[in-house]
Structure formats: C-alpha cells, structure tokens
Amino acid sequence: MEFKNDSYFVDTVSENISSSSVLKKYEERLSGFEKDSFKVKDPYVYVKFCLYTTLIFRILEKEISKIDLSEDEEKVVNILKKYKYRDFEAPFEENYIKFTVWKNESGTLVYQLCDLRETVSSSENWNKIYSVYVIHPKYFKQIKKIVLKIINKN
C-alpha cells in the first residue's frame, strides 16, 4: 500500500509490523499489569492502556469472532465492540470507571480515576477540564484469556 506524505506529516508511516508481533507485545504489557493484580497505579498510564486495548481489539476483531468464548469473555467482547464507537454497555457503573483531568490556577494537572457512583465536584482551586469513561480494570482478566486463545490458535 502506498502512503503519500503530507507536508504536515512527513515520514509518519511506520515500518511494516505483523499483527502477531503487536499481539505479543500487548500480551507482555497485559502480563505486567496482571503481576500487579490488575491494580491501577497511574491513571494516565491506565487510560493509555485502555486506548491501546481498543486498538488491539480492532486489529483482532475478526480473529476474536472465530474463537469459542465463555459467557464472561463474550460480555467483555460486547463491551469492547461498543466502546470502540464510544458507546457504552449498561450497567455503566459495573463496566466502566471515570477518568478525569483536573487543573488548578497555577496550571498543575491531576489525573483521577473513580467509580461512576462517586460524585466529585470541582473545588474552588480545581477545575474539571476533561472526563471520559474507560473500561473497568476487572475486565482485563477476561481480555487476557481472549488474547491467549488467539496466541495459542496461531
């Protein structure tokens, strides 16, 4: 496939990478997250990992549709199918957590993850500048099982 360089995006095309190498790299990151019992230590890193998970899901969507999934794995796949379009699967409080970026008057940023049932309001020193739902960490156990099924199939 030919990609035309644009004056704004010079040399923005990456080298050819196989989907299996991307999957292996993702599985390594997922294993690192699993070592910490899927506990979130840094909200910003977690949000990037959720976005990366969405990308991996899109890359592997056809492969996922061809494997046998448990009921729990199927539930996670349905959550990811909707999430790729920023659509959300009910019950929201169970399936997602909220990522929020706060900024104070001096320009300091704070990243926060919280349960959707928590109501957090701005204080006089902090303003909410961004908020988005992200996949609940508890689903990464099922995501890992799905990834391993695909790796073992190949």
Side-chain angles (χ1 to χ4, degrees):
M1 180 182 297
E2 286 293 318
F3 292 96
K4 181 180 173 192
N5 282 332
D6 185 286
S7 61
Y8 292 108
F9 306 107
V10 177
D11 296 326
T12 57
V13 178
S14 69
E15 61 185 64
N16 292 335
I17 302 170
S18 71
S19 58
S20 61
S21 67
V22 170
L23 181 59
K24 183 65 179 156
K25 184 180 239 181
Y26 178 74
E27 193 271 330
E28 289 170 4
R29 288 186 181 181
L30 197 52
S31 292
F33 188 36
E34 183 181 37
K35 284 179 187 173
D36 293 329
S37 301
F38 298 101
K39 300 281 189 251
V40 177
K41 293 182 178 181
D42 182 334
Y44 183 74
V45 171
Y46 181 73
V47 166
K48 289 191 327 184
F49 189 69
C50 286
L51 293 173
Y52 188 49
T53 298
T54 304
L55 171 65
I56 293 297
F57 173 77
R58 299 219 42 191
I59 291 170
L60 300 172
E61 200 165 5
K62 286 184 182 179
E63 289 86 345
I64 291 170
S65 69
K66 295 176 184 174
I67 60 175
D68 291 326
L69 299 173
S70 69
E71 189 175 318
D72 289 340
E73 292 165 346
E74 191 67 44
K75 177 181 178 177
V76 171
V77 167
N78 289 332
I79 290 169
L80 287 168
K81 280 181 182 177
K82 284 193 170 188
Y83 191 75
K84 74 179 182 182
Y85 297 113
R86 297 299 181 252
D87 192 8
F88 304 103
E89 178 85 11
F92 309 117
E93 299 82 10
E94 180 183 318
N95 295 333
Y96 308 96
I97 56 177
K98 186 170 31 175
F99 172 76
T100 306
V101 180
W102 298 89
K103 181 179 175 184
N104 69 9
E105 293 171 3
S106 66
T108 302
L109 299 176
V110 172
Y111 305 112
Q112 177 190 35
L113 288 172
C114 67
D115 189 286
L116 296 183
R117 292 172 278 242
E118 292 179 32
T119 54
V120 181
S121 59
S122 302
S123 72
E124 63 183 62
N125 297 327
W126 292 93
N127 294 312
K128 183 183 344 181
I129 58 171
Y130 183 75
S131 188
V132 66
Y133 288 5
V134 292
I135 301 163
H136 199 288
K138 69 182 177 183
Y139 292 121
F140 282 96
K141 289 179 187 177
Q142 299 304 323
I143 291 170
K144 176 143 191 212
K145 288 179 184 178
I146 295 166
V147 167
L148 290 175
K149 284 182 179 183
I150 293 171
I151 287 173
N152 292 331
K153 187 176 180 182
N154 295 333

